[in-house]
Amino acid sequence: MAGHDAGSQHQFTGIAKHFNSYTIIGRRNCVLATYASLAAIFLFFKLKPKKKPAVTEK
Amino acid sequence: MTLSLFNQFLSPSLMWTPLAAIALALPWALFPRQTARWVNNRLLSLQSWFLGQFTQQIFLPINNPGHKWALLLASLMLFLITLNTTGLLPYTFTPTTQLSMNMGFAIPLWLATVILGLWTQPTQALGHLLPEGTPTPLIPVLIIIETISLFIRPIALGVRLTANLTAGHLLIQLISSATSVLLSILPAVATFTITLLFLLTLLEVAVAMIQAYVFVLLLSLYLQENV
């Protein structure tokens, strides 16, 4: 719990080098990516233009 | 009838003047201040010994930068334990039954530990939101769960103290009301309720001290994670 994980026993390649659940940097990046994804989804639905109903002649 | 059970938790006022300030100032008036004498009297020595033992035990697992919180947490512990135990006296008001007061302690102190962690060691503070060794498909779910549990902490801290104290006082009032009614009607049953009331009072004294300790202990754990 206390102390930092050096992660020296894990050899990651590719995207796993930056996003993994073993090294502290990897865990931090996963957390930031999750928050960024959630913010992006929220902003997408917030800024999505709403469809106006078609105006018909009476 | 239902309303009268909760009247004991109303914040006292006299001529529209809130008396809660006097209730909150009581612990300050009860404890003697440190003197410049080389050897103090027994009461002051006992108080110093207790505070020293408590501070040493709480701060043993915390790193040196966190030791700045020693005065705050030790005084908070003494404050809460005094309010809780004096509230068990008859006809006294217990400020720690008020959720507003407990949240007033819990939220700023919890937020301070979170901000401290994000400011001094942001990588570790953010990294702790994902348990080590989590399988890849579970990573987003676990991060959301850990974030929710992080924000639940101050609510749990405040509500735990409020609920324990309120429930205890309510039980004492219910059983003592039952005892006073039964004394004239069924004295034999009243002896049972008197015994129950005595045991409950002992339990409430223990709960009063334990809940104050748990409040401060949890805050020290949150500090330990972030410092």
Side-chain angles (χ1 to χ4, degrees), chain B residues 38 93 105 114 142 162:
Chain B
W38 183 51
F93 171 65
F105 278 125
V114 170
L142 227 51
T162 308

Side-chain angles (χ1 to χ4, degrees), chain B residues 92-141:
Chain B
T92 53
F93 171 65
T94 317
T96 42
T97 55
Q98 307 297 308
L99 185 64
S100 54
M101 185 191 125
N102 295 334
M103 294 302 275
F105 278 125
I107 291 175
L109 291 173
W110 162 82
L111 193 60
T113 61
V114 170
I115 290 172
L116 190 70
L118 287 171
W119 187 262
T120 57
Q121 42 180 27
T123 302
Q124 282 76 32
L126 286 171
H128 280 143
L129 287 169
L130 176 62
E132 194 179 337
T134 306
T136 309
L138 287 176
I139 287 175
V141 177

Side-chain angles (χ1 to χ4, degrees), chain B residues 13-185:
Chain B
S13 61
L14 182 67
M15 302 287 283
W16 300 280
T17 310
L19 298 176
I22 301 172
L24 289 169
L26 182 65
W28 172 77
L30 282 177
F31 290 101
R33 296 178 71 168
Q34 293 291 333
T35 64
R37 292 167 186 264
W38 183 51
V39 179
N40 290 306
N41 60 22
R42 269 174 283 200
L43 181 62
L44 203 51
S45 300
L46 189 66
Q47 180 183 295
S48 303
W49 172 83
F50 170 72
L51 284 174
Q53 287 293 310
F54 169 79
T55 309
Q56 188 185 8
Q57 204 226 342
I58 284 279
F59 284 88
L60 207 59
I62 299 178
N63 296 330
N64 278 344
H67 292 179
K68 292 171 200 164
W69 287 59
L71 184 62
L72 176 65
L73 293 184
S75 55
L76 180 65
M77 167 69 175
L78 201 59
F79 185 62
L80 290 177
I81 209 171
T82 310
L83 287 179
N84 290 350
T85 47
T86 52
L88 288 169
L89 298 168
Y91 293 105
T92 53
F93 171 65
T94 317
T96 42
T97 55
Q98 307 297 308
L99 185 64
S100 54
M101 185 191 125
N102 295 334
M103 294 302 275
F105 278 125
I107 291 175
L109 291 173
W110 162 82
L111 193 60
T113 61
V114 170
I115 290 172
L116 190 70
L118 287 171
W119 187 262
T120 57
Q121 42 180 27
T123 302
Q124 282 76 32
L126 286 171
H128 280 143
L129 287 169
L130 176 62
E132 194 179 337
T134 306
T136 309
L138 287 176
I139 287 175
V141 177
L142 227 51
I143 288 171
I144 293 168
I145 290 171
E146 288 287 327
T147 307
I148 293 169
S149 75
L150 179 72
F151 284 95
I152 289 276
R153 278 179 178 179
I155 301 169
L157 214 52
V159 171
R160 184 186 299 110
L161 186 58
T162 308
N164 271 286
L165 272 295
T166 308
H169 282 68
L170 216 54
L171 268 174
I172 286 174
Q173 185 172 8
L174 283 169
I175 294 176
S176 57
S177 305
T179 307
S180 64
V181 166
L182 285 170
L183 263 173
S184 53
I185 302 171

Side-chain angles (χ1 to χ4, degrees), chain A residues 33-46:
Chain A
T34 305
Y35 286 164
S37 306
L38 289 170
I41 293 168
F42 174 75
L43 283 171
F44 172 74
F45 283 104
K46 184 92 178 163

